[in-house]
Amino acid sequence: MRKCKAFIIGGSAGSLEVLLKVLPNVRTDIPFPIIIVVHRKHGTDSLLPALLSTRTELKVKEVDEKEEIKAGTVYVAPSDYHLLIEQNETFSLDYSEKINYSRPAIDATFQTAAEVYNTKLACLLLSGSNSDGVNGLKCVKSWGGTTLIQDPDSAQVAYMPAQAQLNVAIDQVLMIEDIAEFINLLS
Amino acid sequence: MEVSVITDEHVEILLSDLLEQYGYDFTGYSRASIKRRISRIYALDRALSFAEFRYMILNDQVYFKRFVEQITVNVTEMFRDPSFFRKLREEVLPKLGTYPLIRIWLAGCSTGEEAYSISIILKELNLLHKSLIYATDLNPTVLEKASQSMFAISQMQQYSENYILSGGTKDFSSYYTASYSLAKFDDELKRRIVFSTHNLVSDHSFNEFQLILCRNVLIYFNRDLQHNVLDLFDNSLDELGYLALGSKETVEFSRISKRYKRLPGEKIWRKVG
């Protein structure tokens, strides 16, 4: 992939500990944003960005609506809103129906990002117990982006990455310890 | 929904059709969300082609109504964000209780769940008799539903939990009568609610209010439109009145921000200047 413009990570059950292992090893001068969409209970806001920021020198923040997306920042989707990417590379929030019983839905972020970044997008699906993110990865693939999953065997809950593997052409299956390295090698 | 067949160009064509043919201006809406909504109804209704879809919207009044209803987001609940409603109950509404008449504007009320939530709090504060809630939405269909004061009984457990978390102490089920799958709320709760169409994009201020609530509506607008709508609220709010927005919305970027002071902890601002 040439010139990554965004790296998006989606995860559900069992994904937090992966993030906590990966983030400390991501270099702090990455020339693109990392956007994290994980399912969690409504009302536990601000906790996740605070937790993640203890593991990296990168700036970690919860997304504000209409915020401009900047390189070198880790963005976390707020709970209970879908996170969408606009063509002008800003974030929008959306409180429409849950998708795959989830809000934020990983699908919504992957799909809208695919239409904005096309080939310059990489999306990684981590551990989880439902199939959110699978349709999103399909969309990423069809727009020429890079599709990645955590190795299902290494996942606390294999269902989500396994469903992706069954239904989408996956460019690379990553072991937990290889994820940071993969991100670091993107430019 | 997988790969969208609706393109960005299709979206622009439909938005300009709506404006020219019907006077509905959605051009200031954030595109990612509205494109998703349009793709969703396109897939849901199994449109055969974009041309057919466009023709239906332009020529079939019934379908046009459905289209507008479906591209706007009408997801809402009673006492959503309980801490917000606790602030209304414990701080904002008691302050407004000193006025002879409390005028409240609930802009973008959708199917009415928040209107009834506020009505319940006003009743418990013994202020309902001297309050008027103007609940508006651009969409007549949702207002029709709102005025029926009936909601799915399956939601009541969640709403009851929200109500208690927001500081409610009554038995929540005393406010409605269950009938099959629906909960019908007491008529008393809607006696002081006026449901009416109002389009935030094109309609003007229609009264002076002491409290304006508009939660999770601005997120669908672009910055320019957000500025205009906040100006409209500013023009419609009394000195020392309150403006309440959704949990991820703010006045901070806007022209009106310097006249507004935020209450700690919630997305509620008081007009102080």
Side-chain angles (χ1 to χ4, degrees), chain B residues 92-133:
Chain B
V92 175
L93 293 172
K95 272 237 169 68
L96 296 179
T98 57
Y99 287 73
L101 176 64
I102 309 169
R103 279 189 304 266
I104 299 170
W105 180 13
L106 182 57
C109 70
S110 189
T111 41
E113 282 82 341
E114 286 198 341
Y116 290 97
S117 305
I118 294 164
S119 200
I120 286 172
I121 298 177
L122 287 167
K123 181 174 150 62
E124 293 182 3
L125 295 174
N126 212 10
L127 295 172
L128 186 57
H129 63 283
K130 61 167 187 170
S131 302
L132 266 179
I133 303 170

Side-chain angles (χ1 to χ4, degrees), chain B residues 5 22 24 81 98 141 149 174 179 194 214 271 273:
Chain B
V5 290
Y22 296 104
Y24 273 99
D81 302 326
T98 57
T141 317
S149 63
S174 67
S179 162
V194 180
C214 182
K271 186 174 181 177

Side-chain angles (χ1 to χ4, degrees), chain A residues 58 96 114 118-119 172 178:
Chain A
L58 285 159
S96 56
N118 307 161
T119 58
Q172 205 156 335
D178 297 333

Side-chain angles (χ1 to χ4, degrees), chain A residues 149-164:
Chain A
I149 56 168
Q150 175 185 356
D151 177 14
D153 291 338
S154 77
Q156 214 179 79
V157 186
Y159 187 79
M160 205 155 79
Q163 280 297 307

Side-chain angles (χ1 to χ4, degrees), chain B residues 7-20:
Chain B
T7 65
D8 294 345
E9 290 71 37
H10 289 152
V11 173
E12 299 311 316
I13 290 168
L14 293 177
L15 297 191
S16 80
D17 283 354
L18 288 180
L19 182 57
E20 282 165 28

